[in-house]
Amino acid sequence: QNKTSLSLSELLSENTPVFIKDHGRGALATASFRGSSPSHTQVSWHGIHINSPMAGMVDFSLIPVYIVDAIHLKHGSASLADRSGGIGGSINLSNQAGWEEKASLSYMQALGSYSSFDEFLQLGIGNRRIQSKTRLYHNYSANDYTFINRAIANIDPETGDISNPVDTNENAAYFRYGLLQEIYFKPGTRHLFSLKYWVQYADRTIPRPTSYEGPDNSNLNSQQDRDHRLVADWKFYGDFGKLLIRSGYADKQLDYRQMNRVPGLGLIPAIWSESRQKSLYNTLSYSGETDGDWSWEGMLDMNLHQVGSADTVSGAGYEGSRKEISTLLAIRKSFVERINLNLMLRQEWADGERLPLIPYFGMDFRVIPGMDLVLKGNIARNYHLPTLNDLYWQPGGNPDLLPEEGWTIEGGIAYQKELMGHLLNTELSVYRSEIDHWIIWIPSYKGFWEPRNVRSVLSKGLEYHLKLQGFISAFNYKVLAGYSYTSAINPGDP
């Protein structure tokens, strides 16, 4: 709630070990989870995956915290509970119904430097059977701050002193506006229906490199993003388990334009690229438990992606599609409140081709009965398909790319202690991932970039977090601390 006016990239960088590669206010922000690339972090909103099927990544600067009620992170191989490909992990976004609210109205405005304005409006209405929540938002900033440009140096011809000029961050304005509509219907204690629709438009100009020393306004880069996301689900709570049926649709239009100023002609397009992505998601899931000792889940996902990209200036472009089928079987068993075992098996098909089986095995062990000191460990395989851009982008796409695959092993220790109104929670995890056929785009001798499989990448590191909270007289407090270390190296193809 305290970070409502920020983007999701800022919230994650402040509160999690996920490293956000941020290119500035309003600019591209991607995640590097445990040393992996942006496409190795799987992001979902109510079960529909919002990673681009073309680029494979998510731009977190386009997701305002305002529309998110809860965020859940799954580190490393634990992301296999959602889908494959999350070599680094997964981030799950969700919204929640306020069943106790009858009617609510709230408005918030934020003002900032460089002509920055944010507006948020929320309207809620309903009762214990039906709830509706509407959120509207608008963000704008000229983003024209001044800075010392250390990429340009001026040399005094007499003294030889070097000075850096004061520059202005030009062509960096951005704005976005959007709507999130949620409807929840609960006809009884066993049924819950929900429908959510999220639409957003974003427009931003992209500043030129700070080392540029040519004339002002000689070029103009801009990008527009239009997103529509719709998800509907039905949850049935039976005597033996929970049934979930979910369908979702995502539509994205991304336009990028680079205009160069030509004397006597004005701004002439050098790049006029338009990309369209359409995705259909379907999920069937059933889960249950017996007396708290056994729990299980079976899941079937069927997804379809259709994409197309074209540059009207160069004439380059491509169209592609992918059909995905994924099944998951998860079994969990507890023994005398000291040992938890977790087994997951995921089998997937892509365009009719069966992929290798993906197993996961994890165990938690309470060292001393009655004491919250727990040893944890898991080992798992993972598998990540090339994105459609990796395969078909023109020029440079490589249809002969191999999928990324490898194994991850993880271990750790967690401790929790409550004493006289104070709660200590601390955890240390270490991990090691060996990934073969890692995909990376590099310059080629042909004059453009193209993706290649490097032989192997070794990613290893540790994560530590500490939380201390409690009450002192009439005051409550919370102290959070975290540390993460990641080493990701390529001992394969240099």
Side-chain angles (χ1 to χ4, degrees), residues 80-292:
L80 285 171
D82 301 321
R83 66 173 300 179
S84 67
I87 294 175
S90 65
I91 300 173
N92 302 301
L93 315 176
S94 61
N95 303 103
Q96 301 168 349
W99 291 107
E100 302 302 322
E101 297 180 0
K102 294 183 178 180
S104 63
L105 176 66
S106 63
Y107 173 76
M108 183 177 71
Q109 185 177 51
L111 308 176
S113 302
Y114 322 115
S115 303
S116 301
F117 304 93
D118 302 299
E119 289 87 27
F120 307 94
L121 175 66
Q122 177 175 303
L123 172 64
I125 189 170
N127 51 40
R128 295 194 176 187
R129 294 189 62 187
I130 188 169
Q131 286 283 333
S132 173
K133 186 181 294 184
T134 305
R135 311 185 208 203
L136 295 165
Y137 58 93
H138 173 263
N139 314 103
Y140 169 79
S141 178
N143 204 22
D144 54 350
Y145 56 86
T146 58
F147 63 100
I148 298 176
N149 192 341
R150 302 191 185 279
I152 298 177
N154 297 323
I155 303 177
D156 190 309
E158 296 182 358
T159 64
D161 294 337
I162 298 177
S163 62
N164 303 110
V166 176
D167 209 341
T168 301
N169 189 45
E170 297 178 343
N171 298 322
Y174 64 87
F175 76 87
R176 69 182 175 211
Y177 55 84
L179 160 73
L180 174 61
Q181 176 64 55
E182 308 163 57
I183 299 176
Y184 304 89
F185 177 52
K186 186 168 61 175
T189 58
R190 291 181 177 266
H191 299 271
L192 175 60
F193 299 88
S194 68
L195 178 68
K196 305 171 188 71
Y197 174 57
W198 176 17
V199 57
Q200 177 176 271
Y201 175 78
D203 192 334
R204 52 189 164 183
T205 50
I206 302 173
R208 57 177 176 257
T210 55
S211 57
Y212 176 78
E213 297 185 75
D216 294 337
N217 300 320
S218 61
N219 57 54
L220 178 63
N221 294 339
S222 65
Q223 177 177 320
Q224 293 81 39
D225 296 80
R226 304 173 184 86
D227 290 278
H228 297 267
R229 299 183 178 101
L230 178 68
V231 58
D233 58 45
W234 167 48
K235 297 177 182 177
F236 173 73
Y237 299 87
D239 295 330
F240 302 102
K242 181 181 74 172
L243 173 67
L244 167 66
I245 299 178
R246 173 186 292 129
S247 289
Y249 174 75
D251 186 306
K252 182 179 184 66
Q253 176 82 26
L254 190 153
D255 299 333
Y256 171 75
R257 300 180 177 99
Q258 177 180 322
M259 310 286 286
N260 293 339
R261 186 175 298 278
V262 178
L265 297 177
L267 288 172
I268 302 298
I271 299 176
W272 194 281
S273 174
E274 299 179 347
S275 301
R276 183 75 180 269
Q277 310 165 27
K278 297 181 180 180
S279 298
L280 183 63
Y281 303 92
N282 294 282
T283 299
L284 174 64
S285 169
Y286 187 79
S287 59
E289 61 181 30
T290 58
D291 301 327

